[in-house]
Amino acid sequence: MAGNFNMNEFSVEQLLALNSIIDSDEDMDTRVEGILEDRNYRITPDDKGESPFQGKRQFVDEVDRDTETKKPRRIPKNYKGRRGIMPTWKYSDRQEAKALLVEEAYQSLLFKGVQGLPPTMGGRWRTDDVLVNEEIKRIENERNPKVKRPRGRPPKAKVDAEVKVPKKRGRPPKAKTEAEVKVPKKRGRPPKVKTDVKVRKQTVAERFLNQRKVKLSVPADSVITPTGPGKFTVRVDLNKRPVRKAPEVPKGVAPWRPIPKPRTVLPRERPVPKHRTKLLKERPVPKPRTMKPVSPPKVRKPVRMSREVKEQPIVVTPEEQEIDPFGTDLEKPFHRKIETAANGAAVTYSITPHYMDPLDQMTASRQVVRGILVNELKRMGGLKYTETLKVRMSKEIDDGKTKKDSVYFKSKTGTATNFEDIESTAAQNQLTILSRIETFQNLGSNWIILNIDSHYVNIAMYKPLAGSSYMELPKDISNSMCGLINMKNDDDMCFMWRHVRHLNPRARRATTITQKDREFKMNLDYEGIDFPVKISDIDKIERKNSINISVFGYKGKKQFYPIRISKAKYDEHLELLLLGDGERGRHYVLIKDVNRMVCSVSKHGHKQHFCLHCLHSCVSEEVLEKHKETCLEVNGTQAVKLPKEGTKIKFKNHRNSMPVPFVIYADFESILVPEERKEKSENPEDESSTDLYQTHKACSFGLKTVCHYDDKYSGEYKSYVGSDAALVFLKTVVKESFRCREMIDKIFRKKMVITPKEEAEFLVTRNCHICGNDLCEDRVRDHDHVTGKYRGAAHNICNLKYRITWKVPVVFHNLRGYDGHLIMQEIGKFKMDVNVIPNNMEKYISFSLGKNLVFIDSIQFMASSLEALVSNFSPEDFRIVGKRWKGEDFNLVTQKGVFPYEFLDNISKLNTEGLPSKDNFYSSLYESEVKEEDYQRAQKVWDHFKMKTMRDYHDLYLETDVLLLADVFENFRRTCLESYKLDPAHYVSAPSLSWDAS
C-alpha cells in the first residue's frame, strides 16, 4: 500500500471504495492508486439489482412461505388451456411498500401505548383496523402533504405587460393603423382630395425627450446618494415648501431675454372650384289613361209602393208563361266575378239586377248565365252550379204597419259535362226559381215583391267518376291471388268489355279482346249509354241487362272501399274495381272473385265469404246465407238475436237496490206568444200538416232537492222568473248537483260498527248476501256507509259495486213531451257531454248532462196526469207538502189548480192586478173553457192567500206543482223499494224497471 494519506483530501465515494477493498485478496496497491488518481471516482455497488430483503425475514412473526404447503388452485372451466396448478402469489413492489407502512403505523401506535390493537399485523399489506388505518393516513399526510387544488381549469398566468381584453361576440373589428383615419361616409358628391398634407411639428420638449437632453432639477435641500453606475437615490423633505429663487444677475448687466425670430406669413391660396355641369333630367311621358266603363245606376227601391197597391196582382204559373230563351226584347245585365276559392275550383258571379220583376230578370240574364257556364265549362271540363235570387218583399200587418223582409230563392243544383246540358239545366233552374217565388207568395199571406236585391251564380268544378282506356294494375294487387282481370282495351268502353268477360269467361288469355268477344257484345243492351260509363248510368245498365252491378274503389296499400252497392235483386251479379285518378283518367277492372280480393287484405289464413251489402265476413257459405236473412241492409230492419236454449237470465244490477240519496224535482212555466196562422192552400199537395199558432218560451222554473235518508239534508225550494229561465235553471241544477256530491263524500262515509255476534256470523256465513253465490275464500265485511251498521258477508267485487251512487236524477212530469224542448234550446251553451236516449228526432226519453245529472220523466213510470195521481193520495202521504202548508192552506194546495196560459202571452202581464176573468182561462189546445167549480176554487185561493198580482198566483201555482210531484214520486219510490227492492230513480222508464223486477 502507498504511504500515508491525508483523509481530509478524499471524497466520500473514495472512502467507501477503500473500505470495500480492505478485505479483498486482489492487488490492493494498484486499486488504491486508481482510486486516488480519479477525483470523481464513483463506487459500483455489488448488490445492484438485488433486493436488500432477499433471503431475510422482514417481520418477526412472518412465516416462511417455502415451508407452507401449497394449495392447488384450478383454472376455471372456461379457460382454453389445460388444467393445472397456478403459481403461488408473491408481493409486488407496491404491496411490499404498503406492508412496511402498515407495520410502521402499528409500531407507532404500540409506542404511544394505544390499547385495543391486534397482537401482530402478520405482514399484511392492508388491514381493517380503524386505528391503524387512521395512523397510516396521518403518516402519509406528513410525508406527502396534500395541496388543495382549485377545482376547474387553472387560471392563466398574468403578465404585467398583458392587458386582458374581454372577448366580444360577432366579427372582430378591423385593426386601426395610425396613418389610417376613418372618415364617415357622406351622401352626395365626394369632396376633393387635398394635395398639401400638413405635417405636425415636434415641440421642443418632445425633441429633448427623444435626444435625452432633459436635466432633472431637484430642490437644494435634497440629499443625493449614488447607488451604482448611473444610479442615484434622491431624498426630498416634503414638509419644507420649496422656494424658487431667480438667478442673480451681475450689476450693470441687463437680464437676458430670448429674441423671437420674425414670423414669415405666406399668402394662403384658395382653390378655384371647377365648373359644375348640370344634366337635364328627362321626365317620362305618362301613358294615356283608359276610362273604365261606368255601370248604369241601380234602380231605387220603391219603398212606399206597397201602400199604393190595393189589389193582389195575378200570378201566372210558369207553365203558362212563355219565356223568351234569348231575351231579345230586354237589356242584358252586367256581370262580374266576385269570389274565387280552392284555386279556381269554386267561383261566384254576380249579375246586376236591372228589373223589379223576377220573370224579366231571369229572362234578361238567360244569355248571360249561358255565357258564364260555357266559359267555365271550357276551363273546368265539368261543373255543378246553382242560381240564387235575393228578393225584397213586404206585406201589411196590423195597425197599418208594413213588414219588410229579404227572401232567398235558390234553384236546384245543375250538372253540366257538355254544352247540351247547359241549355236544359239552365231553363229548368229558371222555372224552379219562379215556381218557388209563386209558392211563397201564395202561402206567405199577401207578400208583395218590391225589387230584386241581388242575383248570384255559384259554380263548382265537377269531375264525374267514369272509366276510360287501359291502365296497369298497381303492383300490390297485380298478383293473380287477388282475383282481378284487367283487359287491354284501346277505347273508352272498358266497362262493356268487363261485362263481356264476365258473361263469356276464358281460362287462357283472359285479358285479350278477341273476335268472339266483339261478336258477343251484340247481345248486350247499351243503347243510350255514353262512354266512358259514369256511376250514375249504372242503374240504366242494370235494368236493361237484368244484372246486379257493384263498384269498389282502391285507396292503395290494399285498402278497398265500396263506391256503389247494387240494391237490385237479379240472379246475375257483376263486381268491378274502379282505379285511377282525375289526372290520368279512370279504369274499370273485372273482379273475378270478391272473396279473394277482400281476403287478400286480411291476415286470415283461410278462405272467407263476404256479404256484398255490408262487407261482413263469414267463415262459410252456409253462415253467409244465414247472415243475409238478418242483414240490416238487405231486410231494412234490425236483426233479432234470441238466447240459446237452456240459458238463464240472472239479475245483476244489485246496485239499483240502493236508494239514490238525492233527487231533484222541477217544473217550468211558459208564456205563449201567439203566431200568425197561415192561410190554407188550394193545392192539397202544398198544404203543411203542421199549423204554427203559438210559441212557448220559458218564463220561470221551480225546483226542490229531496234527500232520501235524512230530510235535514234536503234543499230549500228555489224559483226564478225571467226571460232566460231555461239557462238559469241549468246553471242552478249544475250547482245543486255539486252540492249533493260534496254531501255524499262528507256525510255518507261512516265507518263500520260490528258486534262480536255479527263477527261470528261473518265467519260462519257461506253465501254472499248481495248476489247469493258461494263465498269460498273471497269474503269481506259489507256495511252501510250511511248508518255504519254491518250488513253481512259479501264478495269483494260485490262489495265494491254495492255502494251509493253519486248521480243526481232530475225528475219532470212530461219531460219528453214538453220540458225537454225548453231545456234543449239552452243545453248547447254548456261545454259538458250530453248523452241522449231518443224516442224520435224531437222527443227524448232521457238525457244526461255531464257525469252527475240525469234527466228522467215521471210520466214514463206513471202514465197519468198529476191531478189524477194526487187524487189517489191520502193526507198522510203528503209528507213534503204537509211540512210546507197546514190546515186550510193544505186543503187548498193539495188539489190541482188552474192557470190562464192563453192570457199570459207576455212576461209583463205577471204584474196584472186581480184574477183574470173566466174567458182568459180558455185553452185553445183542448178547445175548452174552464169549469165553473175550478174557477171558483181559483178565486178562493186568490182571496185566502191575499194575493194582489198575477205574480203571486203564478208563484203559488208553480210551487204547488213541484212539491206535489215530489210527494207523488217519493211515494212511488217507497212502494217499489218495499215490493221489488229496487229504486225507480235508477231507471228511465217502467219497462226497464219491470225487467229487473221480474
Side-chain angles (χ1 to χ4, degrees):
M1 178 181 276
N4 296 329
F5 303 105
N6 187 3
M7 302 297 292
N8 295 328
E9 297 178 358
F10 292 172
S11 63
V12 177
E13 292 288 337
Q14 290 175 336
L15 291 175
L16 291 174
L18 292 174
N19 185 34
S20 62
I21 65 174
I22 288 175
D23 299 331
S24 178
D25 296 335
E26 298 179 1
D27 188 3
M28 185 181 300
D29 295 336
T30 306
R31 296 184 61 184
V32 169
E33 290 178 359
I35 293 172
L36 296 178
E37 289 178 359
D38 189 1
R39 181 66 180 173
N40 297 325
Y41 183 85
R42 293 290 182 268
I43 186 173
T44 302
D46 297 336
D47 57 353
K48 184 177 181 181
E50 296 180 359
S51 175
F53 303 99
Q54 186 174 0
K56 298 181 180 179
R57 289 189 179 183
Q58 300 175 11
F59 305 101
V60 177
D61 56 346
E62 182 180 3
V63 182
D64 191 359
R65 297 185 182 274
D66 297 335
T67 60
E68 290 181 352
T69 59
K70 297 181 180 180
K71 296 181 180 180
R73 184 174 180 181
R74 291 191 174 276
I75 299 175
K77 291 183 177 181
N78 56 358
Y79 181 67
K80 296 182 179 180
R82 64 179 183 82
R83 292 181 181 270
I85 306 300
M86 296 185 67
T88 306
W89 174 84
K90 293 183 179 180
Y91 270 142
S92 65
D93 296 341
R94 185 176 179 182
Q95 292 170 345
E96 191 173 345
K98 281 278 187 179
L100 292 174
L101 184 61
V102 169
E103 184 66 22
E104 182 181 356
Y106 177 73
Q107 296 297 334
S108 175
L109 292 175
L110 289 177
F111 179 76
K112 293 179 181 179
V114 178
Q115 301 296 328
L117 296 175
T120 179
M121 297 309 296
R124 288 172 290 183
W125 64 276
R126 62 181 179 181
T127 179
D128 295 334
D129 192 275
V130 180
L131 298 176
V132 178
N133 287 333
E134 291 181 356
E135 185 67 17
I136 291 172
K137 289 183 180 179
R138 187 187 65 77
I139 295 173
E140 288 179 346
N141 292 337
E142 288 181 356
R143 295 177 180 176
N144 302 317
K146 293 183 179 180
V147 181
K148 189 175 182 180
R149 297 177 60 185
R151 298 181 65 183
R153 185 180 296 176
K156 294 182 179 180
K158 294 184 178 180
V159 185
D160 296 340
E162 181 180 356
V163 180
K164 187 176 181 181
V165 181
K167 292 184 179 181
K168 296 183 179 180
R169 299 180 66 181
R171 184 180 296 174
K174 295 181 179 180
K176 296 182 180 180
T177 57
E178 296 180 358
E180 182 180 356
V181 181
K182 188 175 182 181
V183 181
K185 294 183 179 180
K186 296 182 179 181
R187 301 179 67 179
R189 182 177 295 175
K192 294 183 179 180
V193 182
K194 295 182 180 181
T195 55
D196 300 334
V197 180
K198 293 184 179 180
V199 182
R200 182 174 173 272
K201 296 181 179 180
Q202 284 186 335
T203 61
V204 177
E206 291 176 349
R207 187 169 66 254
F208 280 143
L209 285 173
N210 295 336
Q211 296 175 1
R212 297 182 179 180
K213 295 180 179 182
V214 180
K215 294 182 179 180
L216 179 67
S217 59
V218 296
D221 299 335
S222 59
V223 179
I224 303 174
T225 305
T227 58
K231 296 182 180 180
F232 302 91
T233 302
V234 181
R235 295 181 181 178
V236 182
D237 190 1
L238 299 178
N239 294 327
K240 295 182 179 180
R241 189 173 182 180
V243 180
R244 190 171 184 179
K245 299 180 179 180
E248 298 180 358
V249 181
K251 296 182 179 179
V253 180
W256 178 84
R257 292 180 179 178
I259 301 173
K261 295 182 180 181
R263 296 178 64 184
T264 56
V265 180
L266 300 176
R268 194 172 182 180
E269 297 181 358
R270 294 183 178 180
V272 180
K274 295 183 179 180
H275 180 68
R276 296 178 63 183
T277 58
K278 295 183 178 180
L279 300 176
L280 297 177
K281 295 183 178 180
E282 296 182 1
R283 295 183 178 180
V285 181
K287 296 181 180 180
R289 299 178 62 182
T290 57
M291 301 297 292
K292 295 183 179 180
V294 182
S295 58
K298 293 184 178 180
V299 182
R300 292 188 177 181
K301 303 176 182 179
V303 179
R304 299 183 180 179
M305 184 179 295
S306 59
R307 295 185 180 181
E308 300 177 1
V309 177
K310 297 181 180 180
E311 298 180 0
Q312 179 71 17
I314 301 173
V315 180
V316 183
T317 58
E319 288 79 4
E320 299 177 358
Q321 176 67 30
E322 295 182 358
I323 301 176
D324 184 5
F326 300 102
T328 55
D329 298 336
L330 301 174
E331 182 182 357
K332 294 181 182 180
F334 296 96
H335 71 279
R336 61 189 179 92
K337 185 187 297 185
I338 61 173
E339 190 176 358
T340 304
N343 297 327
V347 294
T348 301
Y349 285 87
S350 174
I351 302 175
T352 305
H354 278 186
Y355 302 95
M356 296 171 53
D357 189 2
L359 179 60
D360 294 342
Q361 175 67 21
M362 298 297 292
T363 305
S365 61
R366 175 72 182 85
Q367 291 297 321
V368 176
V369 174
R370 181 184 178 278
I372 293 172
L373 297 178
V374 168
N375 294 333
E376 291 297 333
L377 183 61
K378 292 179 181 178
R379 185 177 66 88
M380 298 181 179
L383 55 86
K384 288 189 176 184
Y385 74 98
T386 58
E387 202 168 348
T388 306
L389 274 184
K390 182 182 178 182
V391 182
R392 186 73 173 175
M393 309 183 79
S394 67
K395 71 172 182 178
E396 292 184 1
I397 56 178
D398 297 339
D399 301 333
K401 296 181 180 179
T402 304
K403 181 181 180 181
K404 299 179 182 179
D405 198 0
S406 296
V407 186
Y408 290 85
F409 297 96
K410 186 179 179 181
S411 67
K412 294 182 179 180
T413 302
T415 305
T417 56
N418 50 55
F419 297 107
E420 296 178 358
D421 295 339
I422 294 177
E423 293 293 339
S424 59
T425 56
Q428 186 63 33
N429 285 348
Q430 284 190 355
L431 293 175
T432 302
I433 292 176
L434 294 175
S435 177
R436 290 180 177 179
I437 293 174
E438 180 189 6
T439 303
F440 182 81
Q441 283 183 309
N442 293 335
L443 301 178
S445 183
N446 298 327
W447 283 99
I448 300 174
I449 297 175
L450 296 180
N451 65 317
I452 299 174
D453 282 351
S454 56
H455 186 185
Y456 299 102
V457 179
N458 300 316
I459 305 174
M461 185 181 295
Y462 172 64
K463 293 184 178 180
L465 295 176
S468 61
S469 58
Y470 174 76
M471 184 183 299
E472 292 184 359
L473 289 175
K475 293 183 179 180
D476 50 353
I477 59 174
S478 59
N479 190 355
S480 60
M481 296 299 294
C482 294
L484 301 176
I485 299 178
N486 188 16
M487 300 182 68
K488 299 179 181 179
N489 61 298
D490 53 357
D491 50 16
D492 293 338
M493 296 187 294
C494 63
F495 189 96
M496 186 185 67
W497 293 122
R498 274 60 180 172
H499 192 182
V500 170
R501 180 60 68 232
H502 172 72
L503 299 177
N504 186 24
R506 294 187 61 185
R508 298 179 60 186
R509 300 178 62 188
T511 60
T512 305
I513 301 175
T514 62
Q515 184 62 30
K516 291 184 180 180
D517 296 334
R518 300 183 187 277
E519 295 175 357
F520 187 85
K521 76 174 183 178
M522 304 304 296
N523 301 328
L524 304 179
D525 187 2
Y526 277 82
E527 185 179 356
I529 304 299
D530 296 332
F531 292 98
V533 176
K534 304 174 186 176
I535 297 294
S536 57
D537 294 338
I538 297 180
D539 292 335
K540 300 178 183 179
I541 300 175
E542 284 184 332
R543 291 192 298 269
K544 291 184 176 183
N545 297 274
S546 300
I547 187 173
N548 299 337
I549 302 177
S550 300
V551 182
F552 296 87
Y554 181 69
K555 295 180 180 179
K557 297 182 180 180
K558 291 189 177 181
Q559 296 182 8
F560 301 97
Y561 62 95
I563 296 177
R564 181 189 184 276
I565 300 298
S566 176
K567 296 182 180 180
K569 296 183 179 180
Y570 299 108
D571 296 335
E572 194 70 26
H573 58 87
L574 169 65
E575 290 80 29
L576 300 174
L577 180 65
L578 186 59
L579 298 177
D581 50 16
E583 298 179 359
R584 298 183 301 166
R586 296 184 180 271
H587 179 61
Y588 287 105
V589 179
L590 176 62
I591 302 175
K592 187 178 180 180
D593 190 351
V594 178
N595 299 327
R596 289 171 58 185
M597 183 190 73
V598 183
C599 190
S600 63
V601 180
S602 64
K603 298 180 180 179
H604 200 276
H606 303 282
K607 184 178 180 181
Q608 291 178 302
H609 302 268
F610 292 87
C611 175
L612 296 181
H613 300 277
C614 62
L615 293 183
H616 177 72
S617 62
C618 302
V619 295
S620 62
E621 293 185 0
E622 293 77 10
V623 178
L624 179 61
E625 293 298 328
K626 292 181 180 180
H627 165 74
K628 291 181 179 180
E629 297 176 359
T630 58
C631 182
L632 179 62
E633 297 293 335
V634 176
N635 302 316
T637 57
Q638 189 174 5
V640 178
K641 185 178 180 181
L642 298 175
K644 297 180 181 180
E645 294 183 3
T647 57
K648 296 181 181 180
I649 299 175
K650 296 182 180 180
F651 175 72
K652 298 181 180 179
N653 300 324
H654 301 285
R655 187 180 182 181
N656 293 348
S657 61
M658 291 279 295
V660 177
F662 292 96
V663 179
I664 299 176
Y665 299 94
D667 189 22
F668 277 105
E669 295 298 339
S670 304
I671 57 175
L672 277 60
V673 180
E675 295 290 342
E676 186 175 357
R677 295 198 177 188
K678 299 179 181 180
E679 295 182 359
K680 292 185 178 181
S681 177
E682 297 179 358
N683 188 3
E685 296 180 357
D686 299 335
E687 186 176 356
S688 177
S689 60
T690 304
D691 188 9
L692 178 64
Y693 63 93
Q694 285 178 344
T695 301
H696 292 239
K697 296 182 180 179
C699 66
S700 62
F701 72 86
L703 61 87
K704 169 73 174 176
T705 305
V706 179
C707 180
H708 177 82
Y709 297 101
D710 195 344
D711 192 57
K712 68 178 181 181
Y713 300 123
S714 299
E716 297 292 335
Y717 171 78
K718 298 180 182 180
S719 62
Y720 174 82
V721 179
S723 58
D724 56 344
L727 180 61
V728 176
F729 167 76
L730 289 174
K731 293 181 180 178
T732 307
V733 167
V734 170
K735 292 180 181 178
E736 193 69 16
S737 67
F738 292 156
R739 186 188 72 85
C740 297
R741 180 67 183 272
E742 293 177 359
M743 298 279 286
I744 295 172
D745 293 338
K746 293 181 181 179
I747 300 174
F748 301 146
R749 286 291 183 269
K750 293 186 179 180
K751 295 183 179 180
M752 181 176 57
V753 179
I754 186 171
T755 62
K757 183 179 179 181
E758 292 172 342
E759 182 68 26
E761 291 179 358
F762 167 74
L763 298 175
V764 177
T765 305
R766 299 181 60 182
N767 296 331
C768 175
H769 84 98
I770 298 175
C771 66
N773 295 330
D774 192 3
L775 285 172
C776 298
E777 297 180 357
D778 182 16
R779 63 172 63 207
V780 293
R781 298 169 182 84
D782 179 38
H783 76 286
D784 190 351
H785 288 268
V786 179
T787 61
K789 294 182 179 180
Y790 169 76
R791 287 188 295 211
H795 295 108
N796 184 29
I797 188 64
C798 295
N799 181 38
L800 294 176
K801 292 182 178 180
Y802 197 62
R803 58 182 180 178
I804 298 176
T805 180
W806 40 261
K807 291 188 177 181
V808 181
V810 183
V811 183
F812 282 89
H813 200 66
N814 196 19
L815 172 74
R816 180 182 64 171
Y818 188 77
D819 301 277
H821 298 279
L822 303 177
I823 297 173
M824 282 299 173
Q825 294 176 4
E826 302 293 339
I827 202 171
K829 297 180 181 179
F830 290 80
K831 296 182 179 180
M832 302 173 70
D833 295 336
V834 179
N835 296 320
V836 178
I837 302 176
N839 195 10
N840 51 37
M841 293 296 293
E842 296 181 358
K843 296 183 179 182
Y844 308 113
I845 299 174
S846 174
F847 55 89
S848 62
L849 179 62
K851 297 182 179 180
N852 295 356
L853 289 174
V854 181
F855 294 82
I856 61 177
D857 189 359
S858 60
I859 210 171
Q860 299 294 324
F861 300 92
M862 300 167 285
S864 182
S865 64
L866 188 60
E867 182 181 2
L869 295 172
V870 170
S871 62
N872 297 326
F873 273 31
S874 60
E876 294 79 12
D877 296 333
F878 294 99
R879 299 184 181 182
I880 299 174
V881 176
K883 292 182 180 180
R884 176 68 176 84
W885 292 286
K886 304 289 184 180
E888 185 64 22
D889 297 350
F890 175 79
N891 296 329
L892 291 175
V893 299
T894 51
Q895 301 176 9
K896 187 73 171 69
V898 291
F899 194 80
Y901 292 103
E902 303 286 343
F903 171 76
L904 197 65
D905 57 357
N906 195 332
I907 197 172
S908 61
K909 287 190 176 182
L910 290 174
N911 300 324
T912 305
E913 296 181 357
L915 184 68
S917 61
K918 183 179 178 181
D919 298 337
N920 293 322
F921 283 83
Y922 175 80
S923 175
S924 59
L925 178 63
Y926 298 102
E927 296 181 354
S928 63
E929 296 181 355
V930 66
K931 296 180 182 180
E932 183 64 27
E933 56 183 9
D934 293 339
Y935 184 75
Q936 292 297 330
R937 187 170 63 251
Q939 188 70 44
K940 185 177 180 181
V941 170
W942 183 283
D943 297 336
H944 179 77
F945 288 97
K946 299 178 182 180
M947 299 179 181
K948 296 181 180 180
T949 61
M950 271 297 298
R951 175 69 177 268
D952 301 333
Y953 187 83
H954 163 272
D955 294 346
L956 180 64
Y957 180 83
L958 179 59
E959 185 178 3
T960 303
D961 279 356
V962 174
L963 298 186
L964 288 176
L965 174 62
D967 268 330
V968 168
F969 201 78
E970 286 295 319
N971 189 32
F972 178 66
R973 292 178 64 191
R974 289 192 293 270
T975 304
C976 291
L977 286 170
E978 293 174 0
S979 303
Y980 311 114
K981 306 297 181 183
L982 295 174
D983 188 0
H986 288 288
Y987 300 90
V988 297
S989 62
S992 57
L993 174 63
S994 61
W995 174 259
D996 280 353
S998 60

